[in-house]
């Protein structure tokens, strides 16, 4: 086994161990967070269309009685921060594990790594895991269009696939890594830019057009 693979394997074991420790004694609750199970390009029908996808997937999982919002920022005129769309928490995954108690813990406003968002806990609405780095298929890139504090970037360079209306590779988006693994930036919500906004470009970067959904109430 190469040194790189040994380091990645050790890192994965460490993450799994820390997830287990943090989950013990962690409050449980009904699902209020998931990563979308659907695969698509960057045209999500705008933030409203992405919200509708969250609502539809949540309803299919028996949680349609809540108001669901996509964790996506919007740039330019009428800019919106992803963090301002999702309520105040707490948020639990499909297995009932709490991934964050509030907005400050989710974004590390006071202390970094206060959330429990990693590959073992960032599940779809079906309770399924998503492949990450080092696996035969890597889909750890999650669309956010946000900086690490969940805020929109200034107008200018497109980081939101034209505010989630474009599948063109002339547009790009900021993504995070649900598995918290990267050669450079391991942020769950602001790691690097995509190569474009088509599904093929997102796959080449290491994703599949998935995004985070949070219950806002």
């Amino acid at each position: 086994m190469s040194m790189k693979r040994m380091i990645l394997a050790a890192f994965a074991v460490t993450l799994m161990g820390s997830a287990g420790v943090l989950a013990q004694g962690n409050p449980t609750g009904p699902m209020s967070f998931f990563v979308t199970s659907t695969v698509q390009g960057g045209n999500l029908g705008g933030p409203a269309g992405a919200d509708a996808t969250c609502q539809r997937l949540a309803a299919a999982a028996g949680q349609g009685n809540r108001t669901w919002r996509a964790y996506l920022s919007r740039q330019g005129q009428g800019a919106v921060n992803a963090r301002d769309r999702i309520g105040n928490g707490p948020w639990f995954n499909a297995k009932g594990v709490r991934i964050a108690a509030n907005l400050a813990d989710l974004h590390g406003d006071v202390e970094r790594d206060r959330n429990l968002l990693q590959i073992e806990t960032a599940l779809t609405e079906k309770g399924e895991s998503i492949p990450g780095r080092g696996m035969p298929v890597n889909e750890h890139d999650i669309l956010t269009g946000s900086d690490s504090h969940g805020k929109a970037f200034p107008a200018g360079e497109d980081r939101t696939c034209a505010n989630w209306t474009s599948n063109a590779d002339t547009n790009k988006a900021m993504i995070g890594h649900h598995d918290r693994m990267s050669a450079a930036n391991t942020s769950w919500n602001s790691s690097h830019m995509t190569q474009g906004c088509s599904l093929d470009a997102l796959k080449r970067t290491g994703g599949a057009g998935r995004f985070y959904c949070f219950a806002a109430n």
Side-chain angles (χ1 to χ4, degrees):
M1 180 183 291
S2 67
M3 180 62 69
K4 181 178 180 181
R5 291 194 175 186
M6 289 177 66
I7 292 172
L8 287 175
F11 184 50
V13 169
T14 300
L15 284 179
M16 290 178 69
S18 63
V21 170
L22 287 171
Q24 292 176 6
N26 200 31
T28 61
M31 182 178 74
S32 49
F33 159 84
F34 62 87
V35 182
T36 55
S37 60
T38 51
V39 173
Q40 60 204 318
N43 184 356
L44 308 176
D51 290 346
T53 296
C54 290
Q55 198 73 43
R56 174 176 57 82
L57 296 177
Q63 293 294 330
N65 61 327
R66 311 187 72 169
T67 300
W68 290 85
R69 295 287 180 263
Y71 185 90
L72 298 170
S73 289
R74 176 185 172 91
Q75 286 182 275
Q77 186 174 6
V80 177
N81 301 323
R83 66 180 293 149
D84 295 336
R85 311 186 76 243
I86 62 172
N88 298 310
W91 297 284
F92 303 86
N93 69 10
K95 301 294 186 182
V97 176
R98 190 178 73 179
I99 60 118
N102 50 54
L103 283 170
D105 283 356
L106 181 65
H107 294 94
D109 292 346
V110 178
E111 181 181 349
R112 300 307 295 175
D113 294 323
R114 290 279 294 175
N115 68 50
L116 191 60
L117 204 161
Q118 39 192 247
I119 192 168
E120 298 85 7
T121 56
L123 308 176
T124 71
E125 75 284 355
K126 301 176 183 179
E128 298 172 341
S129 60
I130 297 166
R133 191 175 187 196
M135 298 181 180
V137 176
N138 178 19
E139 296 180 352
H140 72 166
D141 287 359
I142 310 296
L143 299 171
T144 70
S146 307
D147 68 13
S148 63
H149 290 286
K151 297 182 178 181
F153 290 99
E157 180 185 3
D158 181 28
R159 303 191 188 200
T160 61
C161 290
N163 287 325
W164 316 111
T165 63
S166 175
N167 287 333
D169 287 342
T170 50
N171 297 105
K172 297 181 180 180
M174 177 63 68
I175 58 86
H177 288 151
H178 86 293
D179 60 0
R180 310 299 287 272
M181 296 187 70
S182 173
N185 188 335
T186 61
S187 173
W188 69 274
N189 64 343
S190 193
S191 293
H192 61 76
M193 297 286 285
T194 64
Q195 295 179 15
C197 289
S198 68
L199 180 55
D200 285 344
L202 297 179
K203 287 182 176 180
R204 288 197 303 270
T205 310
R210 301 180 193 270
F211 50 94
Y212 299 115
C213 294
F214 290 80
N217 61 348

